[in-house]
Amino acid sequence: MFESIEPLDAYNKNINILIGSGASADLFPTLGLAIKNAKEEWETVETLATRYENNPDKKTALFMHYYNMCILPVQTFNPANITTAKGKINLENYEVFLKTLLGLLDRRKDLNRKINIFTTNYDGCLAHSADNILMKGSHDFVVNDGTSGFHCKHLHAKNFNTFQCQTGIFERSNYGVPQLNIIHLHGSVYWSKSGDKIEVKYKNDFKNIIHTKTLAKIGKFSDYITTEGGVSSKVPSVSFTSAQRENFWREYNKRKRQSRAVFTRAVPTSMI
């Protein structure tokens, strides 16, 4: 038998949210591609990566496409530059979502008033939307991305267990500040390896790591796998010099998301 929970009691229970790629689908490309295999199944960056494991040129072209079309747009994202109606609605939905969660926290009686948002996305839409809400001054809350530090912010899972509280006059009462914990399970484009730690810098001044001449080589390749009607057996070949391949992989591996380095230890059960 399951014990029923009164609606008002739900506000005082631990709340954990999980969101994935669909949450930003109108802002950034996903790993899905527009071509199919021989079985009429849709291809993805992941399925082609497996197929091209022993084809250095096509594998390199695929990851160049992935970096150029999926990673770089996220790294250089600026909400002010959104031009499409769907993109603007997508970002507005993030704000509606966060305001809804804050509304739940406003009703919570506990001192520890926080909600955990687990995301498999590596974009900064949650942080951008939270900043926008704070700038408007309509809500008083804290965003906890798991970092600590001042000039240099470093990430650690234990930081998600902290929360802020305010004291009343003469410190006779305590008030828990509503808090949203944002946990990037698959890492973030704003993370970088710093020794044995993960440094977090929210910036969008990233430069394309692929040289212009090299980037031109994957034009037909990228166009084909993102245009409906194609099949994976006819994906155009690409030819790189060994230097072009080595230069790309060296720079790509430097910037590769360092997600599992942080979460090699399980997320504290006290968060759930």
Side-chain angles (χ1 to χ4, degrees), residues 132-222:
N132 200 32
I133 296 172
L134 287 168
M135 287 292 290
K136 294 175 182 177
S138 58
H139 294 75
D140 180 23
F141 66 103
V142 172
V143 179
N144 183 358
D145 61 355
T147 62
S148 59
F150 188 64
H151 290 294
C152 292
K153 292 182 176 294
H154 292 98
L155 181 69
H156 199 290
K158 69 178 182 181
N159 292 330
F160 290 113
N161 284 327
T162 65
F163 68 95
Q164 293 185 20
C165 66
Q166 296 178 345
T167 59
I169 300 176
F170 305 119
E171 299 185 357
R172 291 178 180 175
S173 62
N174 292 319
Y175 168 79
V177 179
Q179 175 172 305
L180 300 176
N181 286 339
I182 301 178
I183 304 104
H184 287 273
L185 295 174
H186 288 179
S188 167
V189 295
Y190 303 111
W191 294 4
S192 61
K193 189 73 172 175
S194 177
D196 60 349
K197 297 181 179 180
I198 298 299
E199 187 173 356
V200 180
K201 291 182 179 179
Y202 292 100
K203 59 181 181 179
N204 63 352
D205 58 349
F206 292 88
K207 305 299 181 183
N208 198 321
I209 65 174
I210 309 174
H211 191 278
T212 306
K213 291 183 179 179
T214 305
L215 195 59
K217 285 191 171 185
I218 68 168
K220 291 182 179 179
F221 179 94
S222 290

